[in-house]
Amino acid sequence: MKILTLVRQVPDAEARVKISAGSVDLEGATLVIDGMDEYGVEEALRLREGGANIEEIVALAVGPKRVEDALRTALAMGVDRAIHVETSELLDPIALSRIVAQVAQSEGAGLILVGGQEADWDSQALGAATAERLGWPQLTWTNELRLEGDSLTGRHDVDDGNENFRASLPAVVTTQQGLNEPRYPTLPNIMKAKRKELRKDSLEQYGARPTVRVVNAEIQTRARLNRMIDGKDPQAAAEQLLDLLRNEAKVLA
């Protein structure tokens, strides 16, 4: 069986981004693998290391040339080869799901691992859209995963807590923090990654086009109120603080 794991490249959580010409400008920002996708890469490696009969692990990324860095990181972690659909188009989750589904079919993948909520979209739609296109079952927000023959078992989060599941392969699984602790690539593996296959495809091969058009972008900021509270009367100060939190900051009901 083959595992296909999606890799997105996003700004580091500590990176400062700016808006230029109505869009997010990533020039000079530190870019990394999306954290939730990284859990998917790590889980694919752990499933194989745990004895599952996995023929190959393939990483897929869609985006501009710089996304190669994220794929090289995945290769250095232990992924066998990578596919880069190079494009400057900003694809929404529904459009991207078309590519993921086609690659999964052409590669003969039996398991797709994608991040539960991509940081750049703040969306959970990709896993569901991909599963719908393929007609496969989807397991969301997994925090434990095992391969048992042609079945997938494990545990995932639900509204009321968590539950155990069993599903037949092929399947789509969304990953999250708590599933594992991703490894750091070692220097020898970083060097080996340079010799691994990284295939380049064009967007036109997949017929995917954005279904959502971004018309504007802005960074939300909240101005400081700079309200000073007189602390001479503790009771009055507490009441004033509660009033400000409830009626101006609106952080209390």
Side-chain angles (χ1 to χ4, degrees):
M1 185 188 72
K2 291 185 182 181
I3 296 179
L4 179 66
T5 180
L6 182 74
V7 171
R8 298 282 296 171
Q9 188 185 55
V10 299
D12 182 81
E14 302 298 322
R16 298 181 66 87
V17 297
K18 56 186 178 180
I19 299 297
S20 177
S23 62
V24 177
D25 184 0
L26 298 178
E27 185 67 32
T30 301
L31 302 174
V32 296
I33 294 180
D34 186 288
M36 291 205 179
D37 288 335
E38 193 172 18
Y39 295 122
V41 173
E42 176 65 27
E43 193 62 21
L45 298 172
R46 292 193 182 201
L47 288 171
R48 179 163 64 184
E49 291 165 356
N53 184 23
I54 296 172
E55 173 190 347
E56 192 176 34
I57 300 171
V58 181
L60 168 67
V62 180
K65 182 174 176 55
R66 57 175 168 75
V67 174
E68 283 184 21
D69 294 338
L71 285 173
R72 290 295 180 193
T73 299
L75 290 168
M77 289 174 69
V79 167
D80 298 306
R81 60 186 176 89
I83 300 170
H84 180 197
V85 180
E86 188 169 346
T87 177
S88 58
E89 287 268 18
L90 296 176
L91 299 181
D92 56 272
I94 305 304
L96 182 56
S97 70
R98 178 185 294 273
I99 299 174
V100 178
Q102 289 183 55
V103 171
Q105 289 177 317
S106 64
E107 291 289 332
L111 177 61
I112 300 174
L113 298 173
V114 303
Q117 186 163 330
E118 309 293 342
D120 49 354
W121 298 315
D122 196 30
S123 169
Q124 303 173 19
L126 179 59
T130 302
E132 175 66 20
R133 287 187 186 279
L134 293 167
W136 293 3
Q138 179 197 199
L139 291 314
T140 60
W141 300 109
T142 52
N143 41 42
E144 186 179 307
L145 201 60
R146 295 181 300 276
L147 279 173
E148 300 177 357
D150 293 331
S151 297
L152 194 65
T153 64
R155 185 164 47 86
H156 66 162
D157 292 337
V158 294
D159 290 343
D160 296 328
N162 58 70
E163 65 182 13
N164 295 325
F165 63 79
R166 176 180 293 272
S168 298
L169 294 171
V172 177
V173 171
T174 67
T175 56
Q176 64 166 330
Q177 184 177 10
L179 176 60
N180 55 53
E181 187 62 38
R183 68 196 67 189
Y184 290 100
T186 62
L187 182 58
N189 285 338
I190 292 172
M191 300 306 294
K192 289 178 183 177
K194 296 179 180 180
R195 298 191 296 272
K196 290 183 178 180
E197 179 187 348
L198 198 163
R199 191 181 88 205
K200 291 281 189 174
D201 288 351
S202 67
L203 186 63
E204 289 70 25
Q205 292 176 237
Y206 298 94
R209 288 290 179 270
T211 58
V212 175
R213 183 169 62 92
V214 177
V215 295
N216 189 37
E218 63 182 31
I219 297 177
Q220 293 183 343
T221 59
R222 180 173 292 182
R224 295 179 181 272
L225 297 178
N226 294 319
R227 293 293 182 87
M228 302 296 291
I229 298 175
D230 188 348
K232 292 180 180 179
D233 183 345
Q235 181 66 29
E239 291 176 357
Q240 185 181 359
L241 176 59
L242 284 172
D243 180 68
L244 290 172
L245 291 173
R246 182 175 293 115
N247 299 314
E248 292 201 27
K250 299 188 184 301
V251 294
L252 294 179

